Amino acid sequence: MNNEKKPLFKGLFYKYIHYGSCAHCTIRYPHSLAFQGNTTAFVEMEDGMNEAGLAVGLTMVYPTIVAPGLNAGVLVRCLLERCATIEEALRFLTTVPIASQQTIMMADQTGRIVLVEANRQRVQRVESTGFLVATNAFCHPDMQKFNAPFPVDDWQAGLRRQTATKAMEAGKPVEEILAGRHGFMNPRDVDKDTDTVWSVVYDCATRTTRRCEGSPARQPFFTDKSLPR
């Protein structure tokens, strides 16, 4: 694990913690919202929460439509840098060109939760007063036609969605669900060298993060309060 703090230039600061094949970052610079997040490539983010209490996370969906524009990780980073609420995030997603296929889960300090399934042709949102679940496939009736028409390795997206939905309905703790204690959740494949790299739970009300570095089936969660205020 490598820890570094560096000023890039006056007013711009980042910190990253590298573990395995990904990094945890805290980023603050002028004229933008400070945020912390996790990524496999520094220029983009795969999930995070900003100082306004907006949390955002993506899942990739096999691309049946590819076009010029912003990909999933860049979209997430832009949302964290620019948007304080879900309403602002939705406006952003409907005004920029989208290159990839993805789901984007969002929650903010008001308690609002929105799931967006999006590609270049359509941005579809789903809202709930309870909970929402997203894995690596489109589930909204208007988006299912964009799923791959042939078998793809989606890390058993359907089974993971079913597991999470049933466990959430039963009121099971989120960290236990992510650890696979209530059904299949961690698609580890030693032959393909694939495993869960990190898991994270964001509390938008307190702007507190619970993070597991590695698979939660084998590693503990810990509390991270480093988000800039």
Side-chain angles (χ1 to χ4, degrees):
M1 178 183 293
N2 298 318
N3 294 269
E4 293 195 16
K5 289 184 177 182
K6 293 183 179 181
L8 296 184
F9 52 82
K10 185 177 181 180
L12 173 55
F13 167 86
Y14 80 87
K15 173 185 178 181
Y16 75 87
I17 303 171
H18 182 265
Y19 49 95
S21 58
C22 67
H24 171 73
C25 308
T26 301
I27 298 177
R28 180 198 295 117
Y29 57 93
H31 314 300
S32 179
L33 291 166
F35 67 91
Q36 64 175 207
N38 300 285
T39 181
T40 53
F42 181 70
V43 296
E44 52 99 64
M45 289 290 143
E46 289 164 50
D47 62 70
M49 180 166 59
N50 66 24
E51 62 182 313
L54 176 70
V56 185
L58 68 83
T59 67
M60 295 300 303
V61 178
Y62 186 91
T64 57
I65 297 174
V66 179
L70 304 181
N71 68 24
V74 175
L75 290 171
V76 169
R77 178 161 183 168
C78 288
L79 293 174
L80 292 169
E81 290 178 349
R82 297 165 178 256
C83 303
T85 65
I86 284 178
E87 202 58 45
E88 292 179 6
L90 291 172
R91 284 198 295 270
F92 178 84
L93 289 172
T94 55
T95 56
V96 297
I98 296 176
S100 51
Q101 293 201 155
Q102 59 276 305
T103 76
I104 297 178
M105 187 76 75
M106 301 182 288
D108 63 22
Q109 282 196 306
T110 69
R112 188 178 180 189
I113 307 170
V114 173
L115 169 64
V116 172
E117 297 185 347
N119 62 14
R120 185 55 174 268
Q121 292 190 12
R122 189 176 182 91
V123 176
Q124 180 66 52
R125 75 183 188 189
V126 180
E127 295 203 44
S128 173
T129 55
F131 67 88
L132 292 166
V133 175
T135 54
N136 299 89
F138 289 144
C139 292
H140 190 279
D142 293 339
M143 296 298 292
Q144 290 181 13
K145 63 185 177 182
F146 297 116
N147 285 326
F150 46 83
V152 297
D153 185 1
D154 59 8
W155 304 284
Q156 302 186 59
L159 179 55
R160 287 185 288 121
R161 179 183 175 85
Q162 180 182 359
T163 295
T165 299
K166 289 178 64 177
M168 290 294 289
E169 289 174 343
K172 302 299 183 182
V174 173
E175 291 179 19
E176 290 185 7
I177 298 172
L178 293 172
R181 297 180 189 171
H182 301 286
F184 178 80
M185 188 56 65
N186 298 286
R188 188 184 189 195
D189 189 325
V190 176
D191 293 335
K192 295 181 180 179
D193 194 27
T194 60
D195 199 357
T196 302
V197 182
W198 77 86
S199 292
V200 65
V201 179
Y202 293 112
D203 185 333
C204 299
T206 63
R207 287 176 289 176
T208 299
T209 300
R210 292 277 294 168
R211 190 171 73 254
C212 170
E213 298 176 354
S215 172
R218 296 178 298 283
Q219 300 295 332
F221 282 85
F222 63 92
T223 300
D224 182 347
K225 296 183 179 180
S226 64
L227 179 66
R229 306 281 176 133

